[in-house]
Structure formats: structure tokens, C-alpha cells
């Protein structure tokens, strides 16, 4: 199965829209808008398929109410912030997304805004969803002073990657899941010492963040060597209890998985084990009641990874976090299948003998100075203990025309 | 010349002091204290040998005045913030450093605080300077509610590294300058493609930050290959005009420098060229009026780097930023002479053939998984465009007992 790439359908849709430059906001407006964006992040793992949205209500520069969309089906950020107002009119509402004007699970935010007597709305991101968009114009028509969107679509998508992917995928007959690759590495780009000896490079704060990130993904993908060596549970045991627990996905070309694996013992999310067609029947028999066994054709160096993602997409998986190992990550990168890199950089040097986080699949001794060309850091880096999380997002323009680079 | 290490004199002094846990502050107090610390940073390059200090005055949670120490000899942060108050009494002062109680270039801040009717002082760092310290107790004796210090000395030193180094060096008969090493590297820890082909890894925002950083250092150090290949001016051409321009320092063991080099044409800061004893006389003759030529004995792999730093220290240089090249940086690291790493990480992969930022001096194929053990990231990482600045500070306990590792 060959997946058509999202970029081929709608390159102009996904990253090209531009708003007003952020620099044109006053420092106060900008700070409160950034606060709204930060509040929105609290919805991670709890609101999908809705976007994460935060809102701040201020008057004369002082914050009088805050809110965020905290739960799918629960009130939107604007409604939560406005609910805190006690009849106060003439305030300014800062929100991270254009207020919706459609009646979905909850009433339109635009009506709540007018009803609360808000005089001015400053919003950050345009709503890419044709159903929900247009709230700004609707409010303008009712005499509310509306400013936005600010910045550009690449930044909006980086803040709400799964939401933007979903909107774009809606126009794609064969959508593939959004794929993020997590790498924990030393400052010299190694994921393990030579020989693959296992070390904890990152500290407990970074590992807790990985659990928090897991809560927002539909599936957690690992390669054969990783589940064979670590027997991971692949559950989200962090600060966020996921609304829907991520599905453990194990690659198992040779059909070696056994029912005792920890990842197959998860009552809340039934695992998927991917193998090649000839191994499906015996493996399905062995894992009966423990996992769904899916067959995917072999590619040149293992299971066809586009096929793996396609199979997950057909099963309703919209997003995948790949956590290891190094070989799988390198293959995903080499095939141009990675949308986002979560790089946890630990203050350690492993040295030239270590296992490369970015091995060159074709020319091991060669240079690849442009191999991340077109990747951008749109989110701020974050420190976890002494480790740093750098998030790199692939710009649509950098996706190769053919699926594989190797 | 063998430098005794600062750590050997006063290990307990430099990092061991502890304050009240930051967690015990209310979110509002903590935010305003962090704001004071951020304001203090504006003094970079302009206040040395004073510390960088910021202050915020608030009442009922609202900021009513802000200030920072902006200029050596100018008013202190507290005085600047309090000068904005118009007779208002009963406010809270947040300051990044314990208010001074000594009369130096300006009157004691403690008196200004009492005079302004401040009811409460929240300060972050203890003053390590025996002359200036004790302001907290003095204020308590006059009925001001005083809270602080918060956090720990390692964090205070990371925020004001040159100040803390200077206080520690005052007790050292042979102090050496504080040394920071800047590396611009790919995510896989390479500083250049194979063969040393020159590329700009980082973007303009990161390069502007390097110029801003230069403004705070007493000298900028480069190795032979760097000045021969790049002919850099080594001036601080960034957002901060340094109070005293950094001195360009060129290593030139073989005595090959010529008067036309850009670094020697700086009217504001006369360059220092370091060579071996036998080359001093002819080189001094050639560079007469353009640079001071200093002789340092040869070490095993080039000029003795401890000797280079010692010579700079004798000339009053208190801090050095080493910017290149790779060989010099690796030697400084291998000899345990680096206090701080400024790692600019660009979103690029160079691959296994590239020039390592952290070469192993003894076992090129070996693992060095602990070679940054004891280094900590105490400052937050910062994004510059798509690049990330990670600052790692060496903990005193990690300094090797002998000077050289190799």
C-alpha cells in the first residue's frame, strides 16, 4: 500500500495562512495572549478531537478571569472564563483560537461573548475547521472589536498539532496518522553507548514528561528490539490521565510476541501487534484475547512502515508516538514519515563509539548537513531537570516528493 | 606555571549555601521574584564587577514600580525601583539579591528601603560578598518583614557567574579567569562537516546572541586555526554595548600573526597574542603597537592552557569566552578548565563523518558516557530562531583533582 502524502493534497492549506504580526500587539496584549495559549495546553490528552484552547479576561490590564478547555464535551475556554465574570461588561477577552460560532457539543462561544458584554476580543490562531471558523466576523458584525489572527499557521499547527492534522486529514481519502518520534540523546547525538548497553540518559523529570506526552497520542509504537529488551507497559503513567489511553503498538515481523508481554496486559487499551502476512495466523492464535494482530507486507529493511501507519489509520488511530528503538526511529526518519521530533537532550557525552540518534542509512561515513533542512523549532525549548526538550516540526515544504529517501 | 584550582581552596563556599525552598513562595510572590531576576539580566555587560540585580515593587499583587542595576556606578536596582514610588508606603519589594548595606559607589539600599516605607522584602540570592552581605538582618532589625534567600547558591552563581567567580577568586592567591566555552553544533553534536568545510549551522538570531554574550566577558579567546581561517574581529557588535570592550586573545604558538589581522585593529581593546617563549621577541617586533605579545610554555599538545589563563589573570582578565575552534575547545574541556558551556544547537544533522564537538582525546572509538557528569543545566534553555541555547554549568564537585584528563 502506498500512502499518498498529505502534503500532496493540500500544501497551501496546512502552513501558508498568515495573521497580523505579533509585534503589532502591545506588550500587555501580547503577554495576556501568550497566557491564554499557555492555559490552553492544560487540555493535552483530555480534549481531542477538539483543539486545546485557553482564554483570559482582562480589564484595564488586570486579569479578572481565566479558563481553558479542560475536557472533551465540557465547556470551551471562553465559556469557562466568561462564567467567572459577575455581570461585568466592557472587558477584553484574549483567546488562543478564534471563538467558534457553531453549536457542537456546547453552545457557540460567540454568543456567550456577546451575552457577557465583552467589548474586545483578541485571538491568536485562525480556526482551520470550516465548520467552526468565521467567529471573528460574526462578532465584528455585532459590534465587538475583534483583533486576530496573529502570527502564522505553522505556529498555530505546532501548538495544536493533532487538531490541525485532523482537519487536513479530513480532506484526504487515505489519511495517515500524525507521527511524532521521541529520542532521548546525549549532547553529541547518541542514544546509547557502543554495543547498545542500556543507560538512563535523561532524569526523572524528563521521563515524567514522556508519560505526560503519551496521554495525548492515540498509539505508542515500538520496534521489535525495544519490546524484546525492555518489555515496556507503554501506558501513560504521568500527570495527565488520558481521556482515551494510547494503544500499544508492537512491531513483530517474525511473529515472536507472547501473551505475557506487559504491553498486552493493558485492560483499557487493547494492543496491536504488526507482523508480516505469513506470521499472522499463528501469532493471532497465540495472542488471542490479548492483542489484535495485523499483517503488513515486508519492505526492504523490515515491515513496510507506510503500511504500518496506514493500517493504524484504518483502525481510527489519528496520532502515533514512536519511542524506540534507534533502528525504527531512523527508518521512520529516512522514509519521511515523521511530523515532529521530541528531542530530550541530556547533559552527557557518549563519544564517537555510541549509537547514533540519526544514523545515515545510505552513507555511514558521509555528511548529511541538510538532513533536517526545513525542520523548524516553533515551540520554546523546555528544561526538565538538567535535560532539555527541543521540539522540531517538519515544515510541509520539506517533505520529499517520494516517500523514502534511502 | 601550575594554577591551583579554585575548587581546592573553597569548595564549600562556592555552591553549598542553601536558602528557603522556592516552592514555599506563593505563585504570585514567585512570579514577581522571577520577574526581578529577569530584569536583573538587563545589566549584562554594563555592571561588572557588580552583580546583575533586578527589583520589582508591588502592592496588593499589582506591580507599581520596576528597576534594575543598569550601569556600574549608577543606582542599584532597589533604588531605581523605589525612586518610582511617590510617597507610597507599605509596599513589598522583590529583589534578585539581598539588599546591600554598605556604602560603595552609591548609598546603601537598605536605608533607601526603610526610607521608602517598604513593609516587606522578598529577596532571591544571598550576597556572597562579606562586605555587602547582612542587609537582610539589618532590615529585620528595623521592623521590615524580610524573606530570603530562596533556592540555592548554585542557581545564584549561575545567574551571576562572573560576580560569584570574582568573590571566590578574592580568596585565591593565584586566581584564574572564569572560562566559558561556546559551541555551535548540530543535533548530533558536530561543529562542522567532514574535512572542516565551513558552514553556518546557526541562524542570525543565535549569532546576535553570541555578540550580546561577548559584551559581558573580559576577553574572547580563539585558537590558531580559527583566526587563520576566519580572521574574526572578535568585537561585541550586538544589542549590548560593553562597558569595557572584550580583549581579543589569539593563540599563536608558532608566531605567525600579522599586524593586518582584524582582531588587532580594535582601538578600544588592545589584543593579546600568546606564543611560545622562543617566538616572543620576533612576534613582538612584528606586532608592535597592535597587540601585546605574551609568552607561555608549551604543553603536550600546544601552548599550556593553564598557563594561558594564568597569564590573562595576571593582566586583570577576570572572564574569558572561548569561541573556537574545535581543537582548542576540546583541549580546554579535557583539561578541566571550562566553567560553563554555551551550546547552540541547530536543527541540522551532519552525520558520523562530521567534526565532533566533544572529541575524545584519549580513546577516539571509546565511550565517554560520564564525561559531562556533574554538569548541570541551571538556566532555562532559550530558543533563538530555530536554534536552542543550552547553558551547562560545571558543578564544583565535578572538577577533577588533577588538571588534565588526557
Amino acid at each position: 500500500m502506498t500512502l499518498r502524502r498529505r502534503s500532496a493534497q493540500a500544501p497551501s492549506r496546512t502552513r501558508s495562512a498568515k495573521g497580523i504580526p505579533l509585534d503589532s500587539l502591545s506588550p500587555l496584549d501580547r503577554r495576556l495572549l501568550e497566557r491564554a495559549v499557555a492555559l490552553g495546553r492544560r487540555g493535552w490528552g483530555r480534549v481531542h478531537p477538539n483543539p486545546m484552547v485557553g482564554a483570559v479576561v482582562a480589564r484595564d490590564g488586570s486579569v479578572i478571569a481565566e479558563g481553558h478547555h479542560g475536557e472533551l464535551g465540557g465547556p470551551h475556554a471562553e465559556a469557562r472564563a466568561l462564567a467567572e465574570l459577575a455581570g461585568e461588561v466592557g472587558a477584553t477577552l484574549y483567546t488562543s483560537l478564534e471563538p467558534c460560532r457553531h453549536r457542537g457539543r456546547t453552545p457557540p462561544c460567540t454568543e456567550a461573548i456577546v451575552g457577557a458584554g465583552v467589548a474586545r476580543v483578541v485571538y491568536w490562531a485562525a480556526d482551520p475547521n470550516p465548520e467552526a471558523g468565521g467567529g471573528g466576523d460574526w462578532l465584528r458584525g455585532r459590534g465587538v472589536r475583534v483583533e486576530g489572527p496573529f502570527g502564522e499557521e505553522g505556529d498555530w499547527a505546532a501548538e495544536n498539532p493533532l487538531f490541525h492534522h485532523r482537519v487536513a486529514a479530513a480532506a484526504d481519502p487515505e489519511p495517515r496518522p500524525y507521527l511524532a518520534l521521541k529520542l532521548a540523546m546525549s549532547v553529541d547525538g547518541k542514544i546509547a553507548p557502543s554495543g547498545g548497553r542500556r543507560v538512563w540518559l535523561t532524569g526523572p523529570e524528563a521521563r515524567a514528561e514522556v508519560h505526560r506526552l503519551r496521554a495525548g497520542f492515540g498509539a505508542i509504537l515500538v520496534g521489535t528490539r525495544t519490546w524484546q529488551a525492555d518489555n515496556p507497559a507503554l501506558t501513560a503513567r504521568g500527570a495527565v490521565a488520558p481521556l482515551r489511553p494510547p494503544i500499544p503498538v508492537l512491531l513483530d515481523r517474525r511473529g515472536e510476541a507472547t501473551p505475557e508481554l506487559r504491553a498486552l496486559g493493558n485492560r483499557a487499551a487493547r494492543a496491536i501487534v504488526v507482523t508480516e502476512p505469513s506470521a499472522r495466523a499463528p501469532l493471532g492464535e497465540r495472542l488471542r484475547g490479548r492483542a489484535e494482530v495485523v499483517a503488513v507486507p515486508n519492505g526492504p529493511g523490515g515491515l513496510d512502515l507506510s503500511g504500518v501507519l496506514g493500517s493504524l489509520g484504518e483502525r481510527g488511530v489519528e496520532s502515533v508516538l514512536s519511542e524506540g528503538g534507534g533502528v525504527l526511529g531512523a527508518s521512520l526518519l529516512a522514509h519521511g514519515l515523521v511530523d515532529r521530533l521530541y528531542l530530550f537532550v541530556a547533559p552527557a557525552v557518549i563519544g564517537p563509539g555510541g549509537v547514533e540518534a540519526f544514523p545515515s542509512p545510505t552513507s555511514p561515513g558521509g555528511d548529511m548537513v541538510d538532513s533536517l533542512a526545513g525542520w523548524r523549532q516553533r515551540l520554546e525549548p523546555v528544561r526538565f531537570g538538567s535535560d532539555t526538550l527541543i521540539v522540531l516540526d517538519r515544515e510541509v515544504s520539506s517533505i520529499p516528493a517520494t516517500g523514502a529517501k534511502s
Side-chain angles (χ1 to χ4, degrees), chain A:
Chain A
M1 168 186 176
T2 303
L3 284 177
R4 268 177 294 159
R5 304 205 55 86
R6 175 160 50 104
S7 61
Q9 272 89 47
S12 64
R13 162 98 228 149
T14 40
R15 292 293 186 276
S16 65
K18 276 206 180 278
I20 307 163
L22 267 170
D23 292 344
S24 64
L25 281 168
S26 75
L28 176 70
D29 281 345
R30 184 165 178 168
R31 186 168 67 76
L32 294 174
L33 199 51
E34 286 170 351
R35 170 73 181 155
V37 174
L39 285 168
R41 292 181 188 170
R42 296 184 183 177
W44 178 256
R46 302 294 306 173
V47 301
H48 190 76
N50 281 352
M52 297 183 284
V53 186
V56 170
V57 183
R59 188 180 187 107
D60 303 328
S62 289
V63 173
I64 54 181
E66 292 185 341
H68 68 278
H69 184 39
E71 200 77 24
L72 182 66
H76 287 188
E78 302 92 325
R80 275 181 68 168
L82 295 171
E84 289 185 33
L85 297 185
E88 177 138 17
V89 297
T92 297
L93 173 75
Y94 299 85
T95 174
S96 63
L97 182 69
E98 182 178 7
C100 73
R101 62 173 171 78
H102 81 306
R103 187 171 296 274
R105 294 179 176 86
T106 62
C109 289
T110 44
E111 291 179 13
I113 290 166
V114 170
V118 167
R120 177 176 172 238
V121 169
V122 181
Y123 71 91
W124 183 55
D127 194 325
N129 193 335
E131 262 181 54
D137 287 337
W138 190 94
L139 288 167
R140 283 185 189 98
R142 270 124 197 111
V144 180
R145 204 173 126 208
V146 179
E147 295 161 48
F150 288 92
E152 58 183 56
E153 190 160 7
D155 291 326
W156 310 332
E159 196 63 49
N160 263 307
L162 308 184
F163 172 65
H164 275 255
H165 181 84
R166 187 174 215 263
V167 171
D172 189 338
E174 288 176 13
R176 67 168 179 84
Y178 178 87
L179 181 76
L181 173 61
K182 186 219 83 175
L183 292 168
M185 61 186 212
S186 57
V187 292
D188 60 336
K190 308 297 189 298
I191 57 174
S194 61
R197 181 166 56 91
R198 310 190 69 77
V199 293
W200 281 116
L201 280 173
T202 51
E205 298 92 341
R207 300 205 293 273
E209 172 66 6
V210 171
H211 277 280
R212 196 191 68 83
L213 289 173
R214 282 180 178 177
F217 283 89
I220 313 294
L221 172 68
V222 294
T224 305
R225 289 179 219 187
T226 296
W227 63 257
Q228 288 189 337
D230 297 353
N231 190 16
L234 300 179
T235 51
R237 305 181 299 278
V240 174
L243 194 62
R244 288 170 60 180
I247 297 169
V249 179
L250 278 55
L251 299 191
D252 182 22
R253 186 170 62 83
R254 295 183 300 272
E256 298 166 332
T258 57
E260 298 76 30
L261 287 169
R262 291 176 69 206
L264 310 193
N266 186 343
R267 299 277 143 222
R270 193 173 177 222
I272 295 176
V273 179
V274 187
T275 191
E276 65 169 331
S278 69
R280 172 147 72 166
L283 188 61
E285 187 64 31
R286 192 188 321 142
L287 303 183
R288 182 183 303 278
R290 305 286 285 178
E292 178 180 6
V293 176
V294 172
V296 159
N298 272 310
L303 293 169
D304 174 59
L305 294 174
S306 288
V308 171
L309 292 179
S311 285
L312 295 176
E314 286 164 11
R315 279 158 183 80
V317 173
E318 296 184 13
S319 60
V320 176
L321 177 64
S322 178
E323 293 202 28
V327 175
L328 173 59
S331 281
L332 290 167
L333 275 170
H335 288 80
L337 295 170
V338 181
D339 295 295
R340 165 169 283 189
L341 281 166
Y342 289 110
L343 300 176
F344 287 90
V345 182
V349 173
I350 289 182
V355 180
E356 299 278 349
F358 300 96
S360 170
T362 46
S363 55
D367 288 337
M368 319 187 283
V369 73
D370 291 326
S371 68
L372 287 183
W375 289 72
R376 275 189 64 178
Q377 185 177 198
R378 290 180 176 273
L379 302 183
E380 300 305 318
V382 185
R383 180 170 70 89
F384 292 97
S386 262
D387 306 318
T388 308
L389 171 58
I390 298 174
V391 180
L392 297 180
D393 285 308
R394 185 173 56 181
E395 300 292 286
V396 166
S397 60
S398 74
I399 297 180
T402 58
K405 273 186 191 168
S406 56

